Amino acid sequence: MNERILVVDDEKKIADFLQRGLAYEGYGVRVAHDGESGLAAALEWRPDLVILDVMLPGMDGLQVCRRLRQESDVPILMLTARDSVSDRVTGLDMGADDYLVKPFALEELLARVRALLRRKGAEDDHPLQLADLALDPRTRQSRRGSRALDLTSKEFDLLELFMRHPRQVLTREVIYERIWGYDFGGESNIIEVYIRYLRAKLEAAGEPRLIQTVRGAGYALREE
């Protein structure tokens, strides 16, 4: 699955330049032009990395960074026209992972992006756990208590998505994009089918339900 990058920059020329350059490298890209829509897109779309300008109308990039860091550990690369040490320290203190001063070469930005995604990938290899449910991304094995789960590749991918976002409501649109990579259309029941498969395997020994239906919103992995 291609990594997804959210660009938040109010300068249309720079945003378009980054969108073209990142898309050419094979990344999925979305663009927002102000802080509030950027924060909303980050929380709804769940990108793998956020490129965030400091100077934004309304909610500035530092505020967005602080708010986003309260909700997510997504890597954040901040862009700024300011080159003072204090500005960079402030951004890093707010939770940014890296800092790039404008103007910059696209090649340097791409190198920073690759480094942040590699670091995130290394962290993402750690085993995941919620209640008595455990999943190891490296071995692609999962257990419920002492019972090994026999999952298909897609079932594992779907469970891993839930495990990486514990207790968060995932919409149907997010699940479609992250697991199948395209839209099956509003009438498709493929998600419901796979949720049913997963529940059957997770609850085969009478264990309590972990994949909860959130009416009108989507699904969440959490204890009842």
Side-chain angles (χ1 to χ4, degrees):
M1 226 177 298
N2 291 347
E3 288 106 334
R4 293 136 34 101
I5 297 177
L6 175 66
V7 176
V8 188
D9 198 311
D10 65 320
E11 294 184 61
K12 191 171 187 308
K13 280 187 178 178
I14 290 180
D16 290 347
F17 167 70
L18 290 175
Q19 184 171 31
R20 285 195 305 272
L22 291 163
Y24 183 78
E25 294 295 317
Y27 298 109
V29 187
R30 281 193 188 178
V31 172
H33 295 293
D34 62 77
E36 289 189 0
S37 61
L39 179 62
L43 296 176
E44 186 273 326
W45 193 46
R46 303 282 173 190
D48 297 292
L49 183 140
V50 176
I51 297 175
L52 178 61
D53 188 38
V54 170
M55 300 294 289
L56 294 170
M59 185 188 298
D60 70 22
L62 295 173
Q63 292 173 290
V64 174
C65 182
R66 188 180 70 247
R67 291 274 301 278
L68 185 54
R69 192 47 81 228
Q70 292 169 354
E71 303 286 338
S72 168
D73 60 355
V74 62
I76 299 172
L77 172 60
M78 297 206 74
L79 305 178
T80 183
R82 304 166 174 172
D83 194 17
S84 78
V85 172
S86 64
D87 288 326
R88 278 178 281 172
V89 168
T90 301
L92 295 170
D93 281 347
M94 290 292 183
D97 296 277
D98 201 355
Y99 220 89
L100 195 55
V101 177
K102 296 177 180 178
F104 52 82
L106 180 62
E107 290 75 14
E108 181 179 4
L109 179 130
L110 291 172
R112 304 276 187 108
V113 164
R114 287 191 294 268
L116 287 172
L117 289 172
R118 273 199 306 273
R119 191 189 311 167
K120 178 176 184 287
E123 292 169 356
D124 282 355
D125 277 345
H126 293 311
L128 305 168
Q129 177 120 19
L130 184 125
D132 62 347
L133 179 62
L135 180 147
D136 191 334
R138 288 168 297 185
T139 62
R140 290 184 68 84
Q141 293 177 324
S142 55
R143 309 186 71 82
R144 183 87 197 255
S146 60
R147 184 169 61 84
L149 301 174
D150 182 18
L151 303 180
T152 67
S153 178
K154 273 286 184 279
E155 289 167 355
F156 186 92
D157 291 343
L158 180 56
L159 184 59
E160 182 179 4
L161 177 65
F162 280 118
M163 293 285 279
R164 291 196 184 281
H165 303 281
R167 303 180 183 87
Q168 296 176 15
V169 178
L170 300 181
T171 64
R172 292 167 52 88
E173 291 75 21
V174 165
I175 295 171
Y176 274 141
E177 271 193 46
R178 297 304 289 260
I179 302 303
W180 284 274
Y182 61 93
D183 191 352
F184 274 73
E187 298 306 309
S188 171
N189 68 339
I190 190 75
I191 291 178
E192 287 76 10
V193 169
Y194 270 84
I195 293 289
R196 193 160 65 242
Y197 290 161
L198 264 185
R199 281 175 172 164
K201 293 182 178 182
L202 291 175
E203 302 164 18
E207 296 96 338
R209 176 153 295 179
L210 287 178
I211 300 177
Q212 315 294 344
T213 301
V214 182
R215 194 172 300 280
Y219 297 94
L221 184 74
R222 61 192 182 205
E223 296 114 316
E224 288 183 295

